[in-house]
Amino acid sequence: AKLASPILALAPPYVCAALNGVAAIALATVLRPGLGMDGDASAAAAYVAGHVVEWRAGWLLWMAAGLSLVVFYVWWARRLKGTLVRVALAISILGLVADLGSEAALVLWLPERYAEAAPALVVSGVAANGFYSLAGALLTLATPGLPALLRVWAWGIWSCGGLLTASVILSLPLLAAVATAALFALLCPWCVLVARRLG
């Protein structure tokens, strides 16, 4: 029991890193052909129709990844004080609501209603990602004593999140792909390092 307690106390950042890393791989492989990034919506819809199980499993994984990120934020916030921390958590919950709602549409409405569900990708990329990035930025501001490397690294993560949001708004799929890859390549190891620092 004494060993389990510290392990459980450090679980959120590690679970967040693992789930988001696996979800990012799923996005780049299983989900990518159904995103219509090349502008061919009919080909994307056909891919989804032929890979319904993989498509739904991929978005369920993303739902778990979003939840794990908010749980990580709660873990992080418990080590901090102030109004800024509470605002950050509220914003992260808004992000989760947007995320779960949009991804539930992608799971439940496809493939029969591809055209109706496709805008959910925009909601996830703009609202959910934007709120998550803003919440992370506020928590970074509220964290005293964060080593310079981790602080600069954090701002790199939130900047990539902002770039992803902007690229989705401007309909720049290649930039969105690059921003997504950079975001998760930075986020996952950073969560582990923050766990070691704050845990």
Side-chain angles (χ1 to χ4, degrees):
K2 289 182 179 180
L3 179 60
S5 181
I7 291 175
L8 290 175
L10 286 174
Y14 288 98
V15 171
C16 178
L19 281 176
N20 279 274
V22 173
I25 293 170
L27 182 66
T29 55
V30 175
L31 298 176
R32 186 190 59 77
L35 299 179
M37 294 180 66
D38 60 358
D40 190 344
S42 60
Y47 172 81
V48 174
H51 301 82
V52 176
V53 173
E54 298 95 321
W55 178 263
R56 289 178 170 158
W59 288 115
L60 287 171
L61 178 59
W62 270 104
M63 293 170 79
L67 181 59
S68 75
L69 179 61
V70 174
V71 171
F72 166 60
Y73 281 172
V74 172
W75 174 91
W76 185 2
R78 290 183 64 187
R79 288 148 177 80
L80 308 174
K81 296 179 181 179
T83 302
L84 198 60
V85 176
R86 293 189 289 274
V87 171
L89 287 181
I91 291 172
S92 73
I93 291 171
L94 289 176
L96 182 62
V97 170
D99 219 5
L100 295 182
S102 61
E103 288 165 359
L106 292 168
V107 169
L108 298 173
W109 288 10
L110 298 178
E112 297 82 5
R113 300 168 68 180
Y114 185 89
E116 294 175 59
L121 291 168
V122 176
V123 174
S124 182
V126 175
N129 175 71
F131 284 137
Y132 289 152
S133 298
L134 178 56
L138 294 177
L139 287 172
T140 301
L141 288 172
T143 305
L146 195 64
L149 174 61
L150 291 182
R151 190 172 295 278
V152 171
W153 192 333
W155 288 115
I157 296 168
W158 317 134
S159 296
C160 287
L163 182 61
L164 172 57
T165 298
S167 64
V168 174
I169 292 172
L170 297 172
S171 299
L172 299 172
L174 180 58
L175 184 59
V178 171
T180 300
L183 173 62
F184 290 97
L186 291 171
L187 175 67
C188 296
W190 185 83
C191 288
V192 173
L193 295 175
V194 167
R196 293 178 178 177
R197 177 68 185 187
L198 301 181

